[in-house]
Amino acid sequence: MRNEQIRQAIDAEQVFNGYRSARSELDARFPGSMSWKTIAGGTYLYRKVHGVSRSLGPKSPETEKTYESFRNGRARERDLVRGLATRLDEMAPVNRALGIGRVPLIGARVLRQLDGSGLLGRAIHVVGTNALYAYERMAGVRIDSGLVATGDVDLLLDARRSLKIAAPAVSSEGLLGLLRKADTSFSLMGRRSFRAVNRDGFMVDRIKPVSGNRFAEAGHSRLGGDDDLHAVEIEGLAWLVNSPKQRVVVIDDRGYPLDMAVPDPRAFALHKAWLAARADRAPAKRQRDAAQAKLVAGMVAERLPNLRFDADDLSALPAALRRAAANLNSGPESRSEQPDRDDGGLEPGW
């Protein structure tokens, strides 16, 4: 990345973190509304949150102070959030012009829904080709578009954590309900499928490691009912579940930042190398796996020297798998590349 690209990416990340913090404060401290109501000749202060109203007591110096504090505090916080949202809107076209907007739009919207639900980074991580967007941001490089081009996103489920506990507010609508908030055209590809697809052919796969204790994990991978996505078991994913994780701010192709939670890039490289060596994998996929493995390993060696393949934090991975890092000695092949609003201005235009 050029210096101006790096500077712009850092500035966008700082504004995004400020927006996210301020929006969280607004939603936590000032949800709902507060108003006075006259009942049986008396005036009472009522607080309404999620459609439920409750009385805070009759009008008095104390309740008047509560009302003014809520009104002024909410106005102040809303003004801060609105200003930061506007700043993100102003930065978006600059991000696009500098070529730092990378993540496909629909994938970015899916990840924002997962992040807002509390699932991203807790029970669900992004794996597969889309994780490369996080790794290139960590290393400050641009990966050739041929190695990041994909029409799907793989969501790795950590079945050791109950989805219903991680995201109780969305358990009724399920993961498919979250996807439909990003794009209403998402539908399951068959009954009890692990895959959803939208009208443009973009697919979301829900995957998990082969279970070593099905009884202990029973029910942990379920969020909605039978009409929700069902996770498919795939061999080798336990290494990614048990690896260290990274949470990285990336930028979508419209120029707006978002969070992406991914396995450690070293674990990604070793897993891809393992896939490339499997005789039962399609030759075209093996070739792509090998290229991605060498690419990420080279990025780690050249740009992220603090991440060592022989470090103790990778001890959960098999020793034979870690030894394979010695064969991944290629350098990174990177190059620089050149809606209607109805939210009161509190959301950027993503």
Side-chain angles (χ1 to χ4, degrees), residues 47-63:
R47 179 75 181 274
K48 186 176 183 179
V49 180
H50 302 309
V52 179
S53 296
R54 67 182 183 91
S55 173
L56 300 182
K59 191 170 187 178
S60 67
E62 290 76 17
T63 54

Side-chain angles (χ1 to χ4, degrees), residues 266 306-316 322:
R266 295 165 296 174
N306 58 306
L307 299 178
R308 296 179 56 85
F309 282 93
D310 59 356
D312 291 341
D313 59 355
L314 291 184
S315 60
R322 284 179 282 147

Side-chain angles (χ1 to χ4, degrees), residues 146-162:
L147 287 177
V148 294
T150 182
D152 66 348
V153 60
D154 295 329
L155 304 178
L156 175 62
L157 171 69
D158 184 348
R160 299 170 301 180
R161 303 181 181 185
S162 170

Side-chain angles (χ1 to χ4, degrees), residues 21 48 54 63 73 92 107 171 192 222 347:
S21 176
K48 186 176 183 179
R54 67 182 183 91
T63 54
S171 61
R192 297 176 62 85
R222 297 290 299 280
E347 287 276 346

Side-chain angles (χ1 to χ4, degrees), residues 139-190:
V141 301
R142 278 294 171 268
I143 296 173
D144 183 85
S145 58
L147 287 177
V148 294
T150 182
D152 66 348
V153 60
D154 295 329
L155 304 178
L156 175 62
L157 171 69
D158 184 348
R160 299 170 301 180
R161 303 181 181 185
S162 170
L163 292 186
K164 292 184 178 180
I165 293 177
V170 297
S171 61
S172 60
E173 60 189 357
L175 185 57
L176 184 60
L178 288 179
L179 298 184
R180 286 173 173 166
K181 288 183 179 180
D183 184 329
T184 57
S185 70
F186 270 112
S187 297
L188 291 182
M189 292 186 66

Side-chain angles (χ1 to χ4, degrees), residues 247-261:
R247 198 173 180 105
V248 185
V249 175
V250 294
I251 298 177
D252 70 26
D253 58 14
R254 290 189 63 214
Y256 287 97
L258 67 143
D259 255 349
M260 184 176 286

Side-chain angles (χ1 to χ4, degrees), residues 2-21:
R2 302 189 304 273
N3 286 338
E4 60 180 334
Q5 291 176 307
I6 294 173
R7 183 180 63 250
Q8 181 68 16
I10 292 173
D11 289 347
E13 179 177 347
Q14 290 176 339
V15 175
F16 174 63
N17 286 335
Y19 168 81
R20 185 169 49 184
S21 176

